[in-house]
Amino acid sequence: MMPFPKVHDIYIGKVVLGTVLATWAIVLGLDLVQALLISELSDIGQGRYGFVEALVYVAYTAPRRAYGLFPTAAVVGSLMGLGQLAASSELTALRALGLSRRRLSGAVAISLAAFTLLMVINGETLAPWAQRQGDAMKAQARSNNAILAQYAGVWAREGDMFLNASSGQQRASGNDQWLELQNINLYQFDDEGRLASIARAGVAEHRPSGWVLRNVVRTRFGQRSVEQETVAVERWKTQLDDAALAASVTRPRYMPSRDLYSSIQYFKRNGLDAGEFEEIYWGRWFYPINVLALCLAAVPFAFGSLRSGGLGKRLFIGIVFALGFWMLQTLFGNLAKAFHIDVRIALLLPLAVMFGVSAVLFRRRSG
């Protein structure tokens, strides 16, 4: 077979990339509008959190939303672009010149590679940083207390008392749910700004009855003396907003991979369940492969179904592929949790199904 001229690869990539970017912009725009008008509407009016603050918060979440929506936009946009070429008989002309299906798939994959790499970098840098900034801004605006979530954990202030927690998460057991902060430091200052006491606690839990500190070591500083006491369990009377603190805690899906990996190692060293962190961590590694699998599975439709189909048909097929892949990932992910299967196997199975579908469709189209 004669080598295919490079100009045709560039043309196919340009058409596909154009429709992918257009689809991506529309989907992202709709998601941002939905987030502003629906998700954030109920929070407007709490504290200093108004419409402008909600608009800024949604803007902060845009990189994270772009990252999550790119695979769907890629498969829908690829089908739209290939359908455009098929409907105008340009694919037929290119095939007559010697364009192979493998070369067509390669042109589509290469055209999306740069943006896939950009999204991978975004998912590790800009998206988690912007999400943390947005969460911190929203928590500060909603709460009357000064609360700031940073890389090192959570900082909060109530009057002359400062709190620092290295990490935290929402926990649940049955119907009970509570906020749990780990490695707490409470710094109490007197009226003259001198440090009056330091309390270190292993865990702080917010229950319906209030805050509870566990494994507390408190050091009090007098004019000429230092006193220390240890308490196993202690009630903590504070007006700190647990909802605002919960919003300030960095959630696993918003953490960079290096932080996820460190958290996984910490949980394993202490015999704790790291399933949620592992699922998100390995999902980052499989992200570019997911984009490739979705787009390659859609390519065979360019040789038949899309040639005679309109815009609605291409859009429907793209949505079916995206939703089908998402449902497979959710199904295998839940099965992995239920039967304690390695999360990497659960992530590989949907890919195997999609690559299998692509191979079968290629054979049928060539038959």
Side-chain angles (χ1 to χ4, degrees):
M1 181 180 295
M2 293 178 61
F4 197 75
K6 185 178 179 181
V7 65
H8 297 94
D9 293 329
I10 296 175
Y11 178 69
I12 293 172
K14 181 180 179 181
V15 172
V16 170
L17 193 58
T19 53
V20 167
L21 291 177
T23 304
W24 194 16
I26 293 172
V27 174
L28 179 59
L30 291 174
D31 189 53
L32 291 173
V33 171
Q34 180 272 336
L36 178 63
L37 299 181
I38 299 178
S39 300
E40 299 303 312
L41 190 62
S42 59
D43 294 331
I44 293 177
Q46 298 181 15
R48 295 179 290 102
Y49 193 68
F51 182 80
V52 175
E53 286 75 17
L55 189 64
V56 173
Y57 173 75
V58 171
Y60 270 123
T61 67
R64 187 259 303 174
R65 297 177 187 275
Y67 176 86
L69 292 171
F70 180 70
T72 301
V75 64
V76 174
S78 296
L79 280 166
M80 301 287 281
L82 292 173
Q84 176 182 326
L85 293 173
S88 61
S89 300
E90 290 178 272
L91 279 186
T92 303
L94 293 173
R95 288 298 312 281
L97 292 175
L99 175 68
S100 67
R101 291 177 171 85
R102 180 179 300 179
R103 193 60 179 265
L104 173 63
S105 301
V108 172
I110 292 174
S111 66
L112 295 175
F115 275 93
T116 303
L117 178 60
L118 182 64
M119 282 299 99
V120 170
I121 297 174
N122 170 52
E124 294 300 316
T125 54
L126 180 60
W129 174 85
Q131 186 68 49
R132 287 195 303 271
Q133 295 297 315
D135 288 341
M137 182 276 296
K138 182 177 179 179
Q140 290 178 17
R142 290 178 59 189
S143 174
N144 292 325
N145 305 298
I147 297 175
L148 183 61
Q150 295 291 348
Y151 246 88
V154 180
W155 281 95
R157 177 184 179 182
E158 182 191 18
D160 57 3
M161 186 273 294
F162 291 82
L163 172 146
N164 172 246
S166 64
S167 61
Q169 59 187 311
Q170 293 283 357
R171 289 194 176 274
S173 178
N175 294 325
D176 295 328
Q177 295 184 354
W178 66 93
L179 172 65
E180 180 179 292
L181 302 177
Q182 290 89 27
N183 300 322
I184 311 300
N185 290 301
L186 298 173
Y187 304 95
Q188 189 81 31
F189 292 84
D190 60 22
D191 294 336
E192 297 180 3
R194 291 192 296 262
L195 183 63
S197 68
I198 298 176
R200 292 183 173 86
V203 174
E205 299 175 353
H206 184 270
R207 300 284 185 167
S209 58
W211 285 93
V212 176
L213 299 177
R214 302 185 184 277
N215 303 322
V216 183
V217 178
R218 178 173 283 102
T219 303
R220 292 187 174 90
F221 303 96
Q223 292 290 342
R224 297 174 179 264
S225 63
V226 176
E227 298 179 359
Q228 188 174 81
E229 64 175 342
T230 302
V231 181
V233 179
E234 178 183 286
R235 292 287 180 181
W236 180 28
K237 296 181 180 180
T238 179
Q239 299 299 317
L240 282 176
D241 186 355
D242 65 296
L245 280 172
S248 300
V249 175
T250 303
R251 285 160 283 187
R253 65 180 179 273
Y254 301 151
M255 296 169 62
S257 293
R258 61 179 180 276
D259 293 342
L260 285 170
Y261 181 78
S262 299
S263 299
I264 291 170
Q265 298 305 309
Y266 168 80
F267 280 115
K268 288 184 175 180
R269 285 196 304 269
N270 291 276
L272 302 173
D273 181 22
E276 182 181 3
F277 288 80
E278 289 184 319
E279 182 178 0
I280 297 170
Y281 174 75
W282 288 111
R284 300 282 180 83
W285 286 96
F286 280 86
Y287 180 89
I289 309 176
N290 292 344
V291 175
L292 177 64
L294 279 169
C295 294
L296 289 184
V299 167
F301 285 92
F303 303 112
S305 300
L306 300 183
R307 189 177 302 141
S308 59
L311 177 65
K313 185 175 182 179
R314 301 167 202 162
L315 184 62
F316 174 76
I317 294 174
I319 293 174
V320 167
F321 264 99
L323 286 179
F325 186 73
W326 175 80
M327 291 176 65
L328 281 175
Q329 280 193 322
T330 303
L331 172 64
F332 288 124
N334 291 335
L335 290 175
K337 293 178 182 178
F339 295 100
H340 303 288
I341 302 173
D342 192 322
V343 67
R344 286 168 290 187
I345 298 178
L347 291 170
L348 275 172
L349 288 175
L351 288 172
V353 171
M354 295 305 292
F355 280 123
V357 168
S358 178
V360 170
L361 290 176
F362 261 113
R363 293 193 185 97
R364 289 184 60 184
R365 300 302 179 194
S366 61

